Amino acid sequence: MKTFLKSLLIAAITLFTFSCKKDTVTPQEPTPTPTESLLKIGETYILGAKAKAVVYSDKALVTGYNVIYVALYDSIDGSRLSDGHFNVTPMMDMGSMMHSSPVENTEDTITTGGYFKTSVVFIMPGTSTEWSLNMMFNNHKNGLTGHGELGVDVVSSTPSKCVSTTIALDSNAKVFISLIGLANPIVGINDFEIVIHKKLGMMNFPAIENYTVEIDPEMPSMGHSSPNNVNPVHIGKGHYTGEVNFTMTGLWNVNLKIYKNGTLISSDQYFEITLH
Amino acid sequence: MKRFLIIIAACFFIQQSLWSQNVSKDSVVKTIHLEEVSICDESSDKNESFSFYRNSKLANTEDILSRMQGVNLIKRGAYGLEPTLRSFSTGQTNLTIDGMRMYGACTDKMDPVSIYIEPVNLKSIQVTNGAAGALEGSTIGGQIEMHLKEPGLTCQKQSSGQISQAYSTVNNGSNSSAIWQQSSNKLAYRVSGTFRKADNYKAGSSKLIPNSGYQKANTSAALLFKVNTSQIIKLDYLGDWGKNIGYPALAMDVGTASAQIIAFTHRFTFSEKFLQRNELKIYYNDIIHQMDDTHRSDSPMHMDMPGWSSTVGFYNELTGAKNFKIRLDFHRAYTRADMTMYPVGEPIMYMQTLPENNINDMGLAIGRTFYLNKKQQININGRLDYFTQVAIFGAGSKQWKVFNTDITETQNNLLKNINISYVKQFKASTHIQMNFGYGERIPTSNERYGFYLFNKQDQFDYVGNLKLKPEGNYQAELIFKQQYKKIEYSVNLFYNHIQNYIYAYRLKSYSQMTIGAFGLKTYKNIEHAVSEGFEGTVKVQLLQGFSYIGSVKYVYSQTYNGLPLPLIPPFKLQQALRYNFKLYQFQFEHDYAMTQERINLDYGDRVTPSFHVFNVRASKNIRIKSSVLQITLACENILDTNYREHLDIGSIPRFGRNFLISLSYIF
Ligand SMILES: [Cu+2]
């Protein structure tokens, strides 16, 4: 790992100096080195595009919302690739059937900080023989398009960062609500963000943008709430942001009330948050 | 013997303003003043009447307080009763020990400062109502100042002491105390200690009150050194340790509590005509209060609520002729209270119920008397205080963010107090005094920074309000006194108009924190509130050896829109008949309170029925050479009445029939 990082660092520096000399069009691109906080998930060749993808995340992949950072390299000279169309399709192979899960692929054709950033909502846990990230890359360097597949382990997030429910009042829609952030909640005010997806088929998980969400944090062992929470409002692509307040440490449940067109359609879902 | 009676009687009614003391013929006050100024005082502990009264007749400081004019006590347990003055409670009044400021470490007010004073180290209690009591600190209600006993210098080397042991049946309570003192013309010291232990007590009709026992130890030491004819240096230490103190009216008890007080005093006596004395005192006190629910079977989960308080300060007081007084003082206090709960199988829950905060206060007070002629005088005293109150950045201030409030923002308040009194003496026997005053007080830390503090009385959690304004009280008082050879009486009428009165109201749609609480409340300044009432006392010398003392007190109060204020005591009568014969004394007491129906429902006040309670006491002094053995027997609540006073939180009944015996050996 260390030697890998070292070589990456060297590669990055050379790339940086190289790009500086040759191409001053993208001087804003920072050092494309995985920072210490990123964890390597795995790597695979993107066959057909003469590229190799190295997948990072800020932590091991869990059920719920995960942000993955993909660095692409020229499989011949090892140089970093920053230009192209890239997307990921998560796939679950359950033997008898296969299904995907919600994913947010970047529309950028240029890497940010050296990475293509993709968010995946894993809707169930699985091993690397079950879950895989199917990656497609259209390499602008050589104009080639290829595919690669990386098996990944997905463990259950405890407490769960993704809840799912079938909402009878919304045409029996199977809905996935994922918590984003809030990894280190504090006593006081916290940003609160969720993303809501719906299952329209094995391979189709669109974002839901027309719900209204109310939150009510509660300490289950005491039965009390907290004041002045800001209900999440939709900001785009199924993301809803607000503020959640905690008045003390301990175990909290952030209860969710979901409305559609003014009708309460779900009120039994919640996220467990522990403050130490 | 007559002198003895007068002192006893007066002790019952140590009272009045600083000013009225100076003009009245109140013999006990005279005695105390004599003690203070005399350089070669014969040890005051040798004064049998004082010792008798303190150590045998009434078991603790609270019993003494409860019989003082204008004082009522809020009771939460058998221990730690909170004195109120004409219905003004902690925060609205100043309760001090030798002029030192102290803040309770308990957010539930379990620890009023009076608990640190035991009869063996109490010299006197001085009650001053309203702004007349603002010489030592801004106040709207007045001041209760307790003076610690101090060793007196004596012309000849001498030592004295006292050992006492008391027992009471109602709570299997024992009270042991000892005093030792040595003095010479240069150096004197005094040490005293008390140990008290009591089990759960029985209310009337033998009903046992769970969680009402307590244990405590108290020690005090004072060293006095005469530097030269004009200078004296004094060092004081007081330590108090409580253990397993039950508060049946509250949800929690005290596991352990400790208080340490140290003080350095320098006194300079001038030989000039106008200037009399300068006193400088530097002091520090520290309180640790560990509240928990270990002994409560009904608690849903284990909970600890420790609290801390420490105050450092000084004052310099210069006194001169014509009651001239100028005083400069400063104090800085730190308070904090935490709550930690331990749910089974879940992470601990922690909160700062009183976020760490500091109060700084710089004050300047001036007073003097103008003699218009032989029979008329005007006394004026005024005080300015500059307060800053600020929460310290940390867990507590972060919690407050949920209310979008930055409590680390400093709150500054300039408080103004003034009192003018006019005194007129008609003939030798009649005395009229009129007081007009204005006083202010800052909101307490609880009222500004409290975070979900549970109030058992109304079952609501309380959060503070940073933006509270100080309360201001316009007050007027009329005192009429007549003294004849065998009878003397006084009547006090008072009126208080409190502006920006701090009143609790419900925050609708906000959640409580405490399990079982009904919701959340906070404070606001309401337009005004009014409190008025009267006090009266009669002292009569009946036949030879018989004397009678009776006193009444009454307060009527309401908000600007006609709601009765919370915790207002009803009309109360306390009377005692004494018979002294040689070294015997017999005393019969009767206490009566009317029913209180003027209650504040928002606050959870309940109607309190009227009651009569009768007590009887007998004592005898036996001389053994130069020592005295005192034996006291008493039966309190003879009829075993099941009763409570209106200011008893949680409607917990008071002591049932109680037999007491005490032995004191004074040598
Ligand atoms: Cu307490």
Side-chain angles (χ1 to χ4, degrees):
Chain A
M1 189 69 190
K2 228 177 186 173
T3 44
F4 169 76
L5 279 176
K6 219 180 205 170
S7 54
L8 254 181
L9 188 74
I10 293 162
I13 290 166
T14 41
L15 188 81
F16 184 67
T17 42
F18 171 73
S19 65
C20 270
K21 274 179 204 158
K22 194 194 166 191
D23 188 7
T24 46
V25 179
T26 56
Q28 77 277 12
E29 186 170 310
T31 317
T33 307
T35 59
E36 282 167 46
S37 60
L38 288 183
L39 174 77
K40 185 179 169 188
I41 303 297
E43 59 179 64
T44 184
Y45 284 99
I46 309 289
L47 298 170
K50 294 203 167 84
K52 188 176 87 170
V54 186
V55 178
Y56 300 91
S57 184
D58 47 4
K59 53 174 182 19
L61 301 178
V62 294
T63 52
Y65 190 84
N66 297 266
V67 179
I68 57 173
Y69 302 89
V70 180
L72 289 150
Y73 298 90
D74 190 310
S75 58
I76 296 159
D77 63 10
S79 65
R80 195 74 172 252
L81 299 170
S82 60
D83 199 350
H85 290 276
F86 177 80
N87 70 51
V88 176
T89 308
M91 282 303 295
M92 167 48 113
D93 186 348
M94 298 177 80
S96 57
M97 58 175 269
M98 288 176 76
H99 66 79
S100 181
S101 73
V103 63
E104 294 171 348
N105 278 303
T106 178
E107 282 155 21
D108 296 340
T109 57
I110 297 284
T111 55
T112 307
Y115 303 99
F116 287 103
K117 191 177 146 196
T118 300
S119 301
V120 183
V121 175
F122 293 107
I123 56 177
M124 59 191 290
T127 64
S128 56
T129 56
E130 294 166 327
W131 272 115
S132 63
L133 298 173
N134 289 343
M135 290 172 272
M136 184 286 293
F137 185 47
N138 175 343
N139 191 347
H140 286 184
K141 192 178 171 187
N142 51 23
L144 298 172
T145 298
H147 292 268
E149 187 183 327
L150 177 67
V152 291
D153 285 310
V154 175
V155 298
S156 281
S157 47
T158 44
S160 180
K161 296 201 158 211
C162 177
V163 295
S164 64
T165 177
T166 303
I167 300 182
L169 291 170
D170 191 15
S171 325
N172 280 322
K174 175 91 170 159
V175 169
F176 299 92
I177 308 163
S178 307
L179 180 68
I180 301 174
L182 216 55
N184 297 301
I186 57 160
V187 173
I189 300 174
N190 296 268
D191 290 332
F192 183 79
E193 182 174 358
I194 53 172
V195 61
I196 308 179
H197 294 95
K198 181 192 277 197
K199 183 182 177 186
L200 279 186
M202 287 304 179
M203 303 302 292
N204 193 5
F205 294 85
I208 301 179
E209 309 194 332
N210 61 348
Y211 280 179
T212 306
V213 181
E214 283 180 9
I215 54 169
D216 178 31
E218 179 199 5
M219 287 205 107
S221 52
M222 296 183 75
H224 67 74
S225 179
S226 72
N228 298 320
N229 296 282
V230 178
N231 285 324
V233 292
H234 187 248
I235 55 161
K237 296 183 177 170
H239 286 246
Y240 297 74
T241 59
E243 281 171 7
V244 65
N245 297 339
F246 301 115
T247 52
M248 60 201 292
T249 69
L251 176 70
W252 289 82
N253 288 347
V254 180
N255 294 311
L256 303 169
K257 275 187 183 171
I258 294 175
Y259 297 84
K260 187 181 179 185
N261 301 328
T263 310
L264 180 65
I265 54 171
S266 165
S267 60
D268 56 353
Q269 301 302 309
Y270 62 89
F271 291 109
E272 269 185 26
I273 306 287
T274 298
L275 280 80
H276 294 285
Chain B
M1 191 41 84
K2 200 170 169 189
R3 184 180 135 82
F4 164 84
L5 257 180
I6 291 168
I7 290 168
I8 288 277
C11 270
F12 253 93
F13 301 99
I14 303 171
Q15 48 151 344
Q16 308 299 331
S17 73
L18 285 166
W19 308 107
S20 68
Q21 271 168 25
N22 293 322
V23 291
S24 74
K25 303 279 181 286
D26 217 7
S27 52
V28 73
V29 173
K30 282 272 158 65
T31 314
I32 289 164
H33 277 279
L34 269 174
E35 279 176 328
E36 279 178 349
V37 293
S38 60
I39 306 295
C40 287
D41 173 36
E42 294 300 308
S43 163
S44 59
D45 274 5
K46 280 282 178 192
N47 185 326
E48 288 163 30
S49 58
F50 256 110
S51 307
F52 183 92
Y53 159 68
R54 253 188 218 103
N55 301 314
S56 303
K57 293 190 64 67
L58 295 165
N60 55 52
T61 312
E62 289 151 354
D63 286 336
I64 301 167
L65 271 168
S66 73
R67 300 194 171 269
M68 296 183 66
Q69 185 170 309
V71 177
N72 280 285
L73 299 167
I74 299 175
K75 181 171 182 266
R76 299 176 173 91
Y79 179 79
L81 279 67
E82 177 193 342
T84 67
L85 255 186
R86 290 178 176 172
S87 83
F88 292 109
S89 60
T90 309
Q92 296 175 313
T93 58
N94 290 330
L95 183 56
T96 60
I97 298 172
D98 280 348
M100 297 183 278
R101 301 298 300 263
M102 279 181 94
Y103 292 82
C106 178
T107 47
D108 284 350
K109 300 182 180 174
M110 289 172 173
D111 59 350
V113 171
S114 45
I115 61 173
Y116 306 123
I117 304 293
E118 290 291 330
V120 290
N121 54 31
L122 172 69
K123 184 165 82 177
S124 61
I125 302 175
Q126 190 174 300
V127 170
T128 320
N129 288 301
L135 261 169
E136 298 181 4
S138 286
T139 178
I140 64 164
Q143 185 187 38
I144 301 174
E145 178 157 15
M146 291 174 293
H147 294 281
L148 287 171
K149 276 228 162 198
E150 58 180 62
L153 296 168
T154 47
C155 298
Q156 277 131 31
K157 241 188 190 169
Q158 56 174 242
S159 53
S160 59
Q162 178 186 318
I163 300 172
S164 308
Q165 177 63 45
Y167 177 77
S168 57
T169 56
V170 76
N171 55 358
N172 190 26
S174 71
N175 185 339
S176 319
S177 63
I179 304 170
W180 176 250
Q181 123 165 355
Q182 262 195 322
S183 55
S184 67
N185 62 353
K186 208 74 185 130
L187 190 74
Y189 72 85
R190 184 181 194 281
V191 288
S192 70
T194 298
F195 181 76
R196 289 205 264 154
K197 188 175 189 319
D199 295 340
N200 292 338
Y201 72 81
K202 282 195 189 109
S205 320
S206 294
K207 189 179 168 245
L208 193 70
I209 306 298
N211 307 306
S212 66
Y214 62 89
Q215 282 179 50
K216 80 165 276 186
N218 178 284
T219 180
S220 67
L223 176 75
L224 198 132
F225 174 69
K226 187 166 128 188
V227 182
N228 54 40
T229 49
S230 58
Q231 290 184 70
I232 283 172
I233 282 173
K234 185 163 75 104
L235 297 172
D236 283 291
Y237 167 76
L238 191 149
D240 190 279
W241 298 268
K243 200 178 150 191
N244 293 331
I245 305 171
Y247 289 85
L250 304 177
M252 301 186 91
D253 305 308
V254 167
T256 59
S258 72
Q260 319 287 323
I261 302 170
I262 49 172
F264 164 89
T265 312
H266 176 261
R267 269 180 213 144
F268 188 94
T269 312
F270 294 93
S271 46
E272 287 171 53
K273 205 179 164 198
F274 184 71
L275 290 179
Q276 287 170 345
R277 194 165 89 161
N278 188 71
E279 180 168 297
L280 169 72
K281 193 190 285 285
I282 302 167
Y283 60 91
Y284 173 74
N285 57 66
D286 186 73
I287 306 168
I288 302 171
H289 181 87
Q290 304 276 357
M291 191 158 54
D292 67 40
D293 61 357
T294 314
H295 301 287
R296 298 300 178 100
S297 51
D298 56 346
S299 95
M301 70 184 88
H302 175 54
M303 173 156 64
D304 282 334
M305 290 187 75
W308 296 266
S309 159
S310 63
T311 306
V312 59
F314 83 89
Y315 69 77
N316 190 74
E317 192 175 272
L318 181 67
T319 45
K322 296 182 177 174
N323 295 314
F324 170 75
K325 205 172 246 191
I326 179 162
R327 179 182 159 117
L328 178 73
D329 53 46
F330 172 80
H331 76 273
R332 176 181 177 84
Y334 166 89
T335 52
R336 165 187 169 187
D338 288 2
M339 183 190 72
T340 310
M341 283 182 287
Y342 303 88
V344 180
E346 275 178 28
I348 58 165
M349 299 189 268
Y350 171 85
M351 175 187 261
Q352 269 186 21
T353 46
L354 179 62
E356 288 183 279
N357 69 93
N358 284 318
I359 290 178
N360 298 295
D361 168 35
M362 176 69 83
L364 178 70
I366 296 174
R368 73 159 287 184
T369 298
F370 299 90
Y371 296 92
L372 305 178
N373 55 43
K374 251 187 171 175
K375 301 209 157 184
Q376 289 183 76
Q377 68 185 65
I378 287 176
N379 310 304
I380 298 177
N381 69 284
R383 181 179 169 99
L384 282 177
D385 269 294
Y386 184 70
F387 274 99
T388 62
Q389 235 174 331
V390 64
I392 299 166
F393 179 81
S397 70
K398 286 181 197 160
Q399 286 165 192
W400 259 99
K401 297 273 187 207
V402 304
F403 288 104
N404 301 311
T405 302
D406 180 12
I407 57 168
T408 63
E409 180 187 301
T410 306
Q411 305 299 310
N412 303 302
N413 293 109
L414 180 71
L415 301 193
K416 304 159 285 289
N417 304 269
I418 186 153
N419 187 72
I420 299 169
S421 75
Y422 168 77
V423 183
K424 182 163 178 154
Q425 192 86 26
F426 298 88
K427 294 182 242 165
S429 57
T430 308
H431 162 110
I432 282 184
Q433 180 174 343
M434 282 183 285
N435 297 335
F436 299 96
Y438 174 75
E440 293 183 336
R441 67 111 174 170
I442 54 160
T444 62
S445 305
N446 278 7
E447 287 164 342
R448 271 195 167 143
Y449 304 119
F451 196 72
Y452 293 94
L453 288 169
F454 179 61
N455 178 8
K456 185 72 191 289
Q457 184 79 344
D458 61 2
Q459 300 265 345
F460 272 83
D461 281 334
Y462 280 67
V463 289
N465 177 355
L466 190 66
K467 293 294 169 196
L468 283 176
K469 284 177 276 188
E471 285 181 348
N473 181 10
Y474 293 94
Q475 43 206 251
E477 184 177 14
L478 176 70
I479 303 167
F480 181 80
K481 247 186 215 178
Q482 279 198 304
Q483 287 172 303
Y484 299 101
K485 210 174 169 193
K486 298 219 159 188
I487 182 166
E488 76 178 74
Y489 69 92
S490 69
V491 179
N492 293 17
L493 300 172
F494 59 88
Y495 177 83
N496 296 293
H497 177 98
I498 309 134
Q499 278 197 317
N500 289 325
Y501 184 83
I502 296 174
Y503 191 79
Y505 72 101
R506 185 170 186 177
L507 283 169
K508 287 194 179 109
S509 81
Y510 278 82
S511 161
Q512 82 294 346
M513 184 275 299
T514 306
I515 297 171
F518 296 149
L520 188 63
K521 282 188 179 178
T522 187
Y523 303 95
K524 67 176 168 188
N525 293 107
I526 59 168
E527 195 180 289
H528 73 264
V530 166
S531 138
E532 56 201 310
F534 61 86
E535 287 136 14
T537 60
V538 190
K539 305 181 208 174
V540 190
Q541 285 290 112
L542 301 163
L543 304 165
Q544 187 62 43
F546 277 96
S547 62
Y548 169 85
I549 298 165
S551 74
V552 292
K553 35 192 167 193
Y554 178 70
V555 181
Y556 179 95
S557 71
Q558 60 182 23
T559 61
Y560 70 102
N561 54 355
L563 285 173
L565 295 183
L567 291 177
I568 300 299
F571 174 85
K572 195 169 177 187
L573 165 72
Q574 290 163 308
Q575 49 185 349
L577 185 67
R578 283 207 180 85
Y579 176 60
N580 283 275
F581 175 72
K582 291 183 179 167
L583 293 173
Y584 289 93
Q585 177 178 279
F586 301 95
Q587 182 170 313
F588 179 75
E589 295 162 8
H590 170 222
D591 289 356
Y592 165 70
M594 269 171 65
T595 181
Q596 179 59 295
E597 285 171 342
R598 281 184 50 78
I599 55 170
N600 186 292
L601 290 171
D602 292 338
Y603 189 73
D605 273 351
R606 270 170 266 195
V607 170
T608 305
S610 70
F611 64 83
H612 291 275
V613 171
F614 301 94
N615 309 322
V616 60
R617 299 174 207 279
S619 66
K620 181 175 178 7
N621 289 3
I622 302 162
R623 283 190 188 280
I624 306 167
K625 289 180 189 166
S626 65
S627 318
V628 178
L629 179 69
Q630 294 178 344
I631 305 168
T632 304
L633 293 169
C635 178
E636 294 174 343
N637 193 0
I638 302 167
L639 303 177
D640 201 26
T641 308
N642 191 302
Y643 76 106
R644 60 186 166 89
E645 299 219 18
H646 186 63
L647 268 52
D648 295 355
I649 305 289
S651 304
I652 308 280
R654 293 218 165 194
F655 280 8
R657 186 184 298 125
N658 185 19
F659 293 97
L660 298 115
I661 179 167
S662 83
L663 289 173
S664 289
Y665 182 66
I666 303 158
F667 52 94

